């Protein structure tokens, strides 16, 4: 078999000139031709909505899809904390280079230098754009924009809109999108779910989608297809992602030949409300911004922890000296603001050692008492009021009076569909943006950088790079959706749906999803070992067999059928779970969110092996039931000297 | 403290938009008071599935009060009996042992039922498409700090902007008016210098679209404000009226 090689198409030249050189020399499509070119954008989150709106403004004919009832409800809406940019408004030493460097380092040197630099470079334009759209960012009394700090940085570069930054940014993009829908450049298909990508002569030329209201399977042609469907964290069942977040389009693309890159890089967020019962349907994030003013601790003595767990002692009764502010103790330079992977593992370490609190012992405290003393309750309320309210509604405890309890949970997936510098997948004409791609965050994403990446991709990168591809497509006439490739793809979907409905077994879709999630959390979660991963692979195979022989889906094919929608997604989560375990097993090192217990320093920190694993793992589908092929994109660090991450000094 | 309660859930069931719907009652025992309202519906659905029946269709996504996808009229209130929250943030500790909980979809001519508790809220998207934006394209924008905006103004715009587009305001209104939703957007953009330029035309276009889509007139009953999960103030309606008059005046 010929060895597959990978070309990331990184432009030549110095780091700071690559993007301007690219733009200066790329091909463009003239205005008259733009109208004749159709682009499908799947997803209306920050990435999809910003891309669809911008492409519509340029004059392309855009078809935009989402599964919710309105594009405004994409999962991006839930982002709380903020968005990074290198504006350096506070004059605290920030710069494009520093944002680039922090992102690369935060990602534990497993991202591509050129992409990350470009991201930092366009970050400032995003803030300008959003303000122009009427996004009400937080301001200081002088009327200028306010910033806060996030983990993994020593500067304040995070812009925010109360605790609702994602909502406000998304509504900005949604308003731009709405304007294009009114103009007719974008046609919106909400409550539609993409079920496959259609490839004609090696190029992506359309999609098959299901109308979720009627159940009808429909075909759509386009000259190029853009995937902006978000991350696959729900493979764990319980995560901070919205209920409908899924990895299905990534799997569809993978099965059609696109590489799935770094599936094992998933982020576990340190500050989520702990799990409390079997009926639990999702986990709620408490924004990282809380770590600006909240201090994380557990009792110093085991007997205190035990007394607290038994309900005999209250945290407020514990003297200052009896508290272990373990992040401040272990990481004096960054304290409570270490990156997420570090904070999550430190919490797990304390709880595993028996110092955890809460009824289950799987929780640590996030305490605002010293901030309330220092700043006053009203300042704390202004900064975090809505988060405190959210917490109180769920837990029935008042965080102004007693410390919050938090525990890590699955939150974000750095891995995703492999893309080159142009955000094109390994299938020509198929692009991937936002959380759906694997590109910029390496093995760990810094807080407030996903919103930045989604909008960078959608507003400022894809609208350029896609033209370099489309410039060669202007002579391609619109292909009829009666073409055999469309018919074949639709038939395959119909067969799959019929097969699922015909099983008529005894297990609900959710029960199988929960089972998968538990296997993932226990074996492919915060600490992974060769044994746990091999066990996971075996268990996932069992779950796959059980799913395809014993799932029960009520309802009909040609009507709204929520259980069927979920079943299709869970079938794909099973595939993703397996890829995650396989990738984790291959990567015999610890880096960022991927922690192999066999590979750690004496102090329990992640131990990278740059000599062996300085690559992005790109998994190539071979055939059903066969192991995928691993293709490596070697990561050359031309401009930055890699170091062991250090947040201690 | 976690307890468990036994309840009867009386739910509106309707096969599709054309079918005639009806209430169906289900008994559900041992519901943890720590579970959320939607988790209670999940449990009920698992039970229905185990009895090989079709589960109840309802809209939801973020389950943390921000996406605006969940809806539901619960015991006569949009988003249930608790204040300032969405249905997904409602917890079972607000209900009593032995209680019958009545669950209906939004009732509004402009939001037709799709199935069971799911409704079609495209009308709200169409109102935004009529003018709920600032007419700027991507790129070629001045620096974000070029125009200072006073903090009180920015904060007020933020309050208006926190509308989640859920539709409770129209569902709560006896006239079926979408005025609070429209006012929140008009007000947010009119407050900010970036949106001020188009404020009057925007107000006119959005109100015209609202009327065209069959929403009723606002008679200031205040029901919308009382039921809005984001506490959007009807003071925004006053601002909308000012912008609207201003537009009329210019005509
Ligand atoms: C609770 C929470 C808080 C967060 N806070 C922050 C923060 O403060 N700062 C930060 O930078 N990041 C944050 N993140 C991460 C960030 O919000 C996401 O990574 C980002 O919004 C993803 O955007 P996206 O556009 O790629 O995808 P999404 O917003 O997930 O959008 C996916 C879109 O794809 C559509 N879709 C999916 N599948 C299909 C299909 N098969 N067919 C058709 N359409 C489909 C959906 O309908 C949706 O429109 C947070 C994440 C969570 C969960
Ligand atoms: S104004 Fe309130 S009730 Fe109306 S749509 Fe917005 S958030 Fe919902
Ligand atoms: S499910 Fe998102 S607001 Fe309720």
């Amino acid at each position: 078999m010929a060895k597959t090689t990978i070309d990331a198409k990184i432009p030549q030249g110095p780091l700071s000139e690559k993007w301007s050189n690219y733009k200066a020399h790329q091909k463009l499509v003239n205005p008259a031709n733009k109208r004749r070119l159709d682009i499908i954008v799947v997803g209306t989150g920050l990435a999809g909505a910003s891309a669809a709106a911008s492409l519509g403004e340029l004059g392309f004919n855009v078809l935009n899809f989402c599964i919710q009832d309105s594009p405004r409800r994409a999962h991006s809406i839930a982002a709380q904390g903020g968005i990074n940019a290198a504006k350096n408004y506070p004059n605290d030493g920030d710069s494009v280079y520093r944002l680039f460097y922090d992102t690369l380092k935060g990602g534990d040197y497993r991202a591509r230098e050129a992409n990350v630099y470009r991201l930092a470079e366009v970050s400032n334009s995003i803030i300008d754009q959003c303000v122009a759209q009427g996004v009400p960012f937080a301001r200081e009394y002088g009327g200028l924009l306010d910033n806060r700090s996030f983990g993994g940085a020593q500067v304040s570069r995070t812009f925010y809109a109360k605790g609702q930054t994602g909502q406000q940014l998304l509504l900005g993009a949604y308003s731009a999108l709405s304007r294009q829908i009114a103009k007719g450049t974008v046609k919106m298909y909400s409550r539609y779910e993409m079920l496959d990508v259609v490839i004609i002569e090696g190029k992506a030329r359309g999609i098959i989608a299901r109308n979720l209201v009627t159940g009808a399977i429909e075909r759509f042609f386009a000259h190029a297809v853009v995937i902006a469907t978000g991350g696959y964290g729900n493979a764990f069942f319980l995560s901070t992602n919205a209920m409908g977040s899924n990895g299905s389009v990534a799997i569809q693309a993978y099965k059609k030949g696109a590489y799935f890159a770094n599936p094992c890089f998933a982020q576990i967020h340190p500050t989520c409300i702990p799990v409390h019962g079997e009926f639990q349907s999702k986990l709620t994030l408490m924004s990282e911004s809380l770590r600006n003013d909240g201090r994380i601790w557990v009792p110093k003595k085991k007997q205190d922890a035990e007394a607290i767990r038994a309900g005999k002692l209250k945290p407020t009764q514990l003297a200052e000296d009896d508290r272990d502010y373990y992040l401040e103790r272990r990481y004096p330079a960054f304290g409570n603001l270490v990156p997420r992977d570090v904070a999550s593992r430190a919490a797990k370490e304390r709880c595993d050692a028996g110092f955890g609190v809460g009824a289950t012992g799987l929780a640590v405290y996030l305490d605002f008492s010293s901030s309330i003393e220092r700043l006053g309750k009203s300042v704390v309320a202004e900064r975090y009021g809505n988060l405190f309210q959210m917490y109180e509604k769920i837990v029935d405890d008042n965080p102004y009076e007693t410390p919050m309890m938090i525990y890590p949970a699955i939150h974000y997936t750095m891995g995703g569909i492999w893309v080159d510098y142009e955000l094109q997948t390994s299938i020509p004409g198929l692009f991937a943006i936002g959380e759906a791609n694997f590109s910029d965050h390496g093995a760990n994403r810094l807080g407030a950088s996903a919103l930045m990446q989604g909008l960078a991709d959608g507003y400022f990168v894809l609208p350029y790079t896609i033209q370099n591809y489309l410039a060669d497509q202007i002579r391609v006439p619109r292909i009829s959706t009666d073409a055999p490739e469309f018919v074949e793809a639709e038939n395959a979907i119909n067969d799959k749906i019929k097969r699922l409905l015909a099983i008529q077994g005894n297990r609900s879709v959710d029960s199988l999803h929960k089972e998968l999630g538990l296997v993932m959390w226990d074996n492919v979660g915060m600490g992974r070992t060769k044994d746990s991963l091999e066990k996971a692979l075996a268990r996932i195979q069992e779950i796959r067999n059980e799913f395809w022989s014993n799932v029960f889906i009520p309802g009909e094919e040609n009507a709204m059928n929520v259980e069927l929608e979920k079943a299709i997604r869970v079938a794909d989560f099973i595939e993703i779970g397996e890829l995650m375990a396989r990738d984790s097993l291959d990567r015999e090192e610890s880096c960022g969110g991927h922690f192999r217990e066999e590979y750690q320093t004496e102090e329990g920190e992640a131990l990278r092996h740059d000599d062996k694993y300085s690559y992005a793992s790109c998994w190539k589908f071979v055939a059903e039931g066969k192991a995928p092929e691993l293709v490596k994109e070697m990561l050359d660090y031309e401009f930055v000297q890699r170091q062991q991450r250090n947040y201690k000094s | 403290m976690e307890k468990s309660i036994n309840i009867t859930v009386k739910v509106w069931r309707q096969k599709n938009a054309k079918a005639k719907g009806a209430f169906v009652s289900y008994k559900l025992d041992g519901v943890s008071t720590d579970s959320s309202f939607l988790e209670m519906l999940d449990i009920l659905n698992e039970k229905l599935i185990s009895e090989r029946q079709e589960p109840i269709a309802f809209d939801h996504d973020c389950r943390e009060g921000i996406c605006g996808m969940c809806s539901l009229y619960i015991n006569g209130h949009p988003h249930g009996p608790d204040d300032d929250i969405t249905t997904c943030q409602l917890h079972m500790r607000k209900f009593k042992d032995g209680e019958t909980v009545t669950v209906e979809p939004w009732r509004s001519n402009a939001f037709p039922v799709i199935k069971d508790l799911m409704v079609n809220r495209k009308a709200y998207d169409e109102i935004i498409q009529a003018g709920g934006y600032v007419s700027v394209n991507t790129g070629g924008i001045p620096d974000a700090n070029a125009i200072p905006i006073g903090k009180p103004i920015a904060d007020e715009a933020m309050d208006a902007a926190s509308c989640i587009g859920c539709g409770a305001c129209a569902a709560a209104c006896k006239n079926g008016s979408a005025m609070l939703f429209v006012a929140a957007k008009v007000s947010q953009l009119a407050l900010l210098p970036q949106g001020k330029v188009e404020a009057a035309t925007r107000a006119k276009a959005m109100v015209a679209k609202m009327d065209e889509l069959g929403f009723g007139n606002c008679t200031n009953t205040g029901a919308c404000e009382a039921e809005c999960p984001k506490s959007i103030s009807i003071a925004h309606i006053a601002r909308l009226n000012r912008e609207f008059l201003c537009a009329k005046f210019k005509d």
Side-chain angles (χ1 to χ4, degrees):
Chain A
M1 200 164 61
K3 208 167 150 36
T4 320
T5 54
I6 285 199
D7 179 10
K9 296 203 224 141
I10 299 168
Q12 294 299 311
L15 199 51
S16 61
E17 288 168 26
K18 284 181 192 292
W19 181 229
S20 32
N21 281 345
Y22 175 90
K23 288 193 290 184
H25 296 107
Q26 71 163 115
K27 287 176 273 187
L28 294 172
V29 180
N30 84 23
N33 285 329
K34 283 188 184 124
R35 276 193 298 280
R36 301 210 305 245
L37 290 170
D38 301 345
I39 304 174
I40 285 175
V41 178
V42 189
T44 59
L46 288 178
S50 60
S54 304
L55 293 168
E57 288 161 8
L58 288 170
F60 291 104
N61 186 39
V62 180
L63 294 80
N64 194 191
F65 294 79
C66 72
I67 53 180
Q68 290 84 358
D69 71 332
S70 161
R72 67 180 287 154
R73 308 204 202 281
H75 165 58
S76 293
I77 200 104
Q80 302 169 349
I83 176 165
N84 287 331
K87 284 282 194 188
N88 193 30
Y89 286 153
N91 195 29
D92 57 358
D94 204 4
S95 62
V96 167
Y97 188 85
R98 189 173 285 274
L99 174 54
F100 151 75
Y101 183 80
D102 286 349
T103 309
L104 206 67
K105 173 185 170 192
D108 222 351
Y109 305 99
R110 288 293 174 264
R112 220 184 262 148
E113 280 178 321
N115 283 56
V116 179
Y117 195 89
R118 176 178 63 191
L119 175 65
E121 217 176 334
V122 304
S123 67
N124 292 341
S125 308
I126 299 173
I127 305 303
D128 300 341
Q129 187 66 36
C130 295
V131 167
Q133 290 168 342
V135 169
F137 280 124
R139 289 179 181 266
E140 292 169 347
Y141 280 97
L144 301 182
L145 293 163
D146 190 21
N147 286 124
R148 54 166 57 146
S149 312
F150 256 52
Q154 287 169 314
V155 294
S156 279
R157 60 160 75 100
T158 307
F159 294 80
Y160 66 101
K162 273 205 179 154
Q164 290 140 258
T165 316
Q167 178 196 30
Q168 293 310 316
L169 297 176
L170 185 63
L171 292 181
Y174 162 77
S175 68
L177 176 65
S178 297
R179 178 167 162 250
Q180 294 310 307
I181 295 172
K183 284 192 169 169
T185 57
V186 178
K187 185 148 178 20
M188 188 67 228
Y189 295 87
S190 49
R191 291 202 200 262
Y192 267 78
E193 180 151 3
M194 170 172 171
L195 293 180
D196 209 356
V197 51
V198 178
I199 313 282
I200 299 180
E201 289 170 4
K203 296 191 173 71
R205 290 296 189 201
I207 67 168
I208 307 290
R210 183 164 181 269
N211 177 330
L212 299 180
V213 176
T214 64
I217 306 289
E218 299 175 27
R219 311 170 193 168
F220 299 91
F221 162 82
H223 293 87
V225 176
V226 181
I227 299 172
T229 51
Y232 51 89
N234 276 347
F236 286 71
F237 186 73
L238 285 181
S239 84
T240 62
N241 289 193
M243 302 301 286
S245 294
N246 68 88
S248 288
V249 175
I251 287 294
Q252 293 155 24
Y254 163 73
K255 293 203 169 165
K256 286 281 164 91
Y259 306 140
F260 200 128
N262 296 336
C264 83
F265 291 163
Q267 177 164 80
I268 297 183
H269 197 294
T271 54
C272 303
I273 300 180
V275 179
H276 60 261
E278 250 176 71
F279 49 80
Q280 189 145 357
S281 56
K282 75 157 281 173
L283 294 170
T284 304
L285 175 77
M286 288 284 106
S287 167
E288 172 157 321
S289 60
L290 293 170
R291 287 200 272 146
N292 268 290
D293 292 306
R295 297 176 69 198
I296 295 178
W297 64 273
V298 290
K300 230 177 229 170
K301 298 190 206 114
K302 259 193 199 157
Q303 65 265 34
D304 287 343
E306 280 158 15
I308 287 178
R309 288 201 291 269
K312 289 185 202 137
L313 187 67
K314 288 205 173 77
T316 42
Q317 294 169 322
L318 219 59
E320 205 48 36
D321 271 356
D322 292 326
R323 302 174 176 198
D324 176 14
Y325 296 92
Y326 56 88
L327 289 176
E328 296 168 30
R329 168 170 60 79
R330 283 177 69 177
Y331 308 100
F334 281 70
N336 292 297
L337 285 174
V338 290
R340 292 173 176 176
D341 54 329
V342 178
S344 292
R345 272 198 300 280
K348 178 179 188 309
E349 189 276 330
R350 283 293 78 192
C351 293
D352 288 352
F355 295 91
V357 296
T360 56
L362 292 177
V364 302
Y365 289 124
L366 177 62
D367 195 335
F368 291 88
S369 54
S370 48
S371 296
I372 292 174
E373 229 164 79
R374 181 166 46 91
L375 304 163
K377 189 174 162 184
S378 62
V379 174
V380 172
E382 178 165 341
R383 286 186 189 164
Y384 311 112
N386 67 327
L387 297 171
F388 280 28
Q389 185 223 23
M390 196 191 258
Y391 182 87
E392 187 169 357
K393 290 288 178 194
I394 297 174
V395 183
D396 210 16
D397 239 355
N398 179 349
Y400 293 103
E401 279 155 23
T402 140
M404 275 186 184
M405 279 192 283
I406 52 162
Y407 198 66
I410 286 284
H411 177 59
Y412 180 89
T413 49
M414 283 74 69
I417 307 171
W418 181 88
V419 290
D420 62 17
Y421 187 76
E422 297 186 304
L423 305 181
Q424 186 161 214
T425 69
S426 42
I427 299 174
L430 186 66
F431 295 77
I433 58 178
E435 192 175 337
N437 75 23
F438 91 114
S439 65
D440 298 343
H441 307 292
N444 173 55
R445 172 177 71 77
L446 289 184
S449 286
L451 303 185
M452 168 171 75
Q453 183 226 333
L455 290 180
D457 288 359
Y459 284 133
F460 297 109
V461 180
L462 181 87
Y464 284 89
T465 58
I466 200 170
Q467 293 193 51
N468 203 35
Y469 173 78
L470 287 172
D472 295 332
Q473 308 297 315
I474 53 176
R475 282 176 216 292
V476 177
R478 294 191 165 113
I479 299 172
S480 156
T481 52
D482 293 332
E485 291 85 350
F486 276 99
V487 177
E488 209 177 290
E490 184 186 320
N491 288 344
I493 292 297
N494 280 323
D495 289 350
K496 181 175 171 183
I497 290 176
K498 287 203 167 58
R499 197 176 144 206
L500 282 166
L501 288 170
I503 298 170
Q504 294 289 311
N506 290 311
R507 293 282 303 270
S508 73
V509 176
D510 277 3
S511 76
L512 286 153
H513 193 179
K514 281 185 190 178
E515 188 177 338
L516 173 71
L518 218 54
V519 168
M520 295 301 292
W521 182 246
D522 288 344
N523 301 292
V524 198
M526 265 190 285
R528 306 161 174 181
T529 63
K530 184 165 184 287
D531 282 351
S532 77
L533 294 165
E534 281 168 352
K535 180 168 164 213
L537 283 171
R539 287 285 292 118
I540 292 169
Q541 182 57 34
E542 286 166 20
I543 295 172
R544 180 189 283 119
N545 294 342
E546 175 78 356
F547 178 89
W548 285 99
S549 62
N550 200 19
V551 73
F552 170 61
I553 305 167
E556 298 153 31
E557 178 181 348
N558 298 314
M560 168 166 276
N561 189 337
V562 177
E563 289 299 304
L564 174 63
E565 293 165 25
K566 289 197 292 190
I568 294 173
R569 293 176 206 148
V570 171
D572 295 328
F573 282 134
I574 295 172
E575 305 303 309
I576 289 176
E578 184 178 289
L579 274 177
M580 292 181 78
R582 204 180 275 284
D583 190 37
S584 305
L585 200 54
D586 170 71
R587 195 167 279 277
E588 293 185 336
E589 65 164 350
S590 294
C591 57
H594 169 66
F595 195 73
R596 283 283 300 262
E597 287 174 5
E598 305 94 318
Y599 308 98
Q600 50 180 308
T601 66
E602 271 172 22
E603 291 157 312
E605 306 297 338
L607 189 61
R608 275 195 344 256
H609 284 303
D610 291 342
D611 50 334
K612 288 204 218 127
Y613 294 99
S614 182
Y615 57 76
S617 315
C618 308
W619 295 93
K620 189 177 168 197
F621 180 72
V622 175
E624 292 296 345
K626 287 239 171 74
E629 180 191 346
L630 174 62
V631 188
K632 298 174 184 172
E633 181 199 335
M634 299 314 293
L635 298 169
D636 296 321
Y637 276 72
E638 235 187 295
F639 304 96
V640 167
Q641 185 79 35
R642 274 184 286 208
Q643 288 163 354
Q644 203 66 40
R645 282 192 312 173
N646 172 9
Y647 293 98
K648 291 178 193 293
S649 53
Chain B
M1 267 304 277
E2 182 177 353
K3 289 193 310 208
S4 72
I5 52 175
N6 302 336
I7 53 171
T8 302
V9 198
K10 190 175 151 200
V11 188
W12 184 259
R13 307 254 8 205
Q14 181 173 337
K15 200 162 169 50
N16 55 46
K18 292 193 195 91
K20 218 171 136 254
F23 280 108
V24 181
S25 289
Y26 303 97
K27 278 206 167 329
L28 199 58
D29 289 346
V31 179
S32 162
T33 51
D34 271 354
S35 65
S36 72
F37 192 83
L38 296 186
E39 284 166 348
M40 181 277 289
L41 286 182
D42 292 341
I43 297 168
L44 176 55
N45 275 344
E46 280 292 294
K47 185 165 171 258
L48 292 176
I49 292 168
S50 73
E51 293 160 2
R52 304 191 93 75
Q53 299 184 49
E54 261 212 70
I56 303 156
F58 61 93
D59 269 324
H60 64 100
D61 199 23
C62 74
R63 294 205 176 189
E64 47 189 62
I66 194 76
C67 73
M69 186 97 177
C70 63
S71 46
L72 307 189
Y73 238 82
I74 303 163
N75 287 348
H77 292 278
H79 294 299
D82 203 354
D83 287 339
D84 303 335
I85 52 162
T86 53
T87 290
C88 61
Q89 292 175 295
L90 178 64
H91 277 69
M92 293 312 291
R93 58 182 83 94
K94 292 282 163 197
F95 298 88
K96 288 191 285 296
D97 191 37
E99 189 170 344
T100 295
V101 184
T102 308
V103 194
E104 298 167 80
W106 280 171
R107 301 285 189 197
S108 166
N109 288 339
F111 300 148
V113 172
I114 294 175
K115 180 173 183 174
D116 298 339
L117 303 170
M118 271 184 190
V119 298
N120 179 344
R121 284 173 288 194
K122 280 204 175 134
Y124 270 17
D125 284 330
E126 285 178 46
I127 293 175
I128 298 291
Q129 286 155 21
Y133 44 75
V134 178
S135 300
V136 289
N137 284 354
T138 303
I141 300 285
D143 185 85
N145 259 346
I147 311 174
I149 302 175
K151 183 168 161 48
I153 301 275
D155 286 349
E156 204 183 339
M158 177 65 226
D159 286 342
S162 45
C163 162
I164 56 174
C166 62
C169 41
C173 177
K174 69 176 169 53
N175 308 320
S177 171
M179 207 57 163
L180 192 61
F181 168 75
V182 176
K185 188 47 78 184
V186 166
S187 188
Q188 174 207 342
L189 295 178
L191 279 161
L192 300 169
Q194 289 82 4
K196 187 75 201 154
V197 186
E198 300 169 280
T201 46
R202 174 182 308 115
K204 207 175 123 193
M206 289 177 74
V207 170
K209 182 52 100 181
M210 172 176 81
D211 292 344
E212 179 197 319
L213 291 169
F215 288 100
N217 287 326
C218 172
T219 54
N220 276 314
T221 66
C224 51
E225 183 188 60
E227 298 291 1
C228 170
K230 297 290 143 181
S231 320
I232 304 286
S233 158
I234 48 174
H236 295 296
I237 297 185
R239 183 171 291 109
L240 169 95
N241 286 334
R242 279 201 297 281
E243 294 301 341
F244 191 68
L245 282 178
C246 185
K248 281 267 184 242
F249 191 67
K250 279 186 193 148
D251 279 353

